[in-house]
Each structure stands twice: as C-alpha cells, then as structure tokens.
Amino acid sequence: MDYTVFSTEFPDVKVFYNEPLKNYTFTKTGGRAAILIFPKDKKEASAVMHWLRENDIPTTILGNASNVIIKDGGISGAVIMLNDMSHLTVSDTQIVAEGGVALIDVSKEAAKNGLTGLEFACGIPGSVGGAVFMNAGAYGGEISHILQSCKVLTKDGEIETLSVKDLAFGYRHSAIQDSGAIVLSAKFALAPGNHQVIK
C-alpha cells in the first residue's frame, strides 16, 4: 500500500514516511518505520486507529520508546507514538496525565504540588501510557497502587474508561497487554504530603 494516502485523509496529523526510529528511541538504535504517526489528542488517535484498521494496516505502539530496542530491519506498517499527547492537570489530590507525558514529569509535578505517592517513579524513564501498560514500579511502589482509572483506545478505535479492577494488574503486567489497547490518559489518586519530605 502507498502509505502517503494517509496525508490526504489526515492533512492535520503529524506523520513521517520511511522514518528512522533511531531518532526517537532512548537507545538511538533501530531501523525505519514505514509510516510514523504522532496524534495530538484522543479524537485524532481514535480517527487514525479507525483508518488503520479499515485499511488492514498492522500497527505498533511505541509510547515514547524508552523501553524497547528496535531491530535494524525496522517496523512494517504503522507506528504510533504519543509524545504529542502531553497534557497534565492537577486538581486537589488527583493528577490526570495524557499517555505521552513522561512519568518523571508527573512525579515532579506531584512533588511541586505537595502530593505524595509518586516518589517511586521519579527515575522511571517511560511515559504514562507505558507505565500503566506494564504496571511500572520501583522501590516498593507501582502504578497499580496510585492509579484510579485510565482512558484507553481499543484496537477498534473506541475510547473506554477502565478501573484498576478492569486492568487486572500483576507484576509488570496489565490487561492492556492482552487487549492491544492504547493508554490515552491516566488519573492518579495521591495524598497530601510535605513538599520537602517528598523531594
């Protein structure tokens, strides 16, 4: 298939063709993506997923590519990265972050607002989406301890809200790994704390 037709269907979506993935991975290695797509919000992501499915294009989700090594042969089909979905809000003791936000940045924002519970994540280099996907953790803490809910994009392009129970968390595992959904955003339930102690 000529993937450049994607730009005709979605003229406002950031997309690259035959793009070297080494430009985006933490390891600075990896071959090319036939088509690399950066949706900017959940509406755009949903429309893109619908189109990819309708055109039977295999799709790989890379998050922010901090925990993968891409083969030199690259990835055929479409690659989606959520780096541009990076909105974060704080309300009382809750933080809602889109899937492309760096988990480290969420932990820093929590500290800045005197919210405790995310200290364990201050050195984890992944994105919020990747962290929920794999139930990331360190130093005795993990995402399942603080996650309240998340919005996901199913393989069919539908947006659903999942509770912690729905996610069936285990050690470095969630139900999302089995469903093939994409984490669009996550809501974290934290607690008031002392800013200096959190730091």
Side-chain angles (χ1 to χ4, degrees), residues 66-86:
S66 64
N67 195 33
V68 293
I69 296 176
I70 307 296
K71 63 184 178 180
D72 290 340
I75 300 177
S76 59
V79 173
I80 294 178
M81 297 186 73
L82 301 183
N83 303 47
D84 292 351
M85 293 181 62
S86 56

Side-chain angles (χ1 to χ4, degrees), residues 131-145:
V132 174
F133 176 86
M134 66 171 292
N135 191 20
Y139 308 111
E142 58 187 30
I143 290 297
S144 62
H145 295 165

Side-chain angles (χ1 to χ4, degrees), residues 133-198:
F133 176 86
M134 66 171 292
N135 191 20
Y139 308 111
E142 58 187 30
I143 290 297
S144 62
H145 295 165
I146 55 166
L147 186 73
Q148 190 169 52
S149 64
C150 69
K151 288 190 185 299
V152 301
L153 182 65
T154 69
K155 288 194 294 187
D156 295 326
E158 304 302 321
I159 296 173
E160 297 180 351
T161 300
L162 302 179
S163 68
V164 173
K165 185 178 179 181
D166 295 327
L167 292 165
F169 281 122
Y171 181 74
R172 304 297 173 263
H173 185 270
S174 77
I176 296 169
Q177 294 175 23
D178 305 317
S179 71
I182 303 171
V183 179
L184 297 174
S185 66
K187 181 186 290 186
F188 300 108
L190 305 173
N194 180 283
H195 174 68
Q196 289 302 321
V197 172
I198 292 168

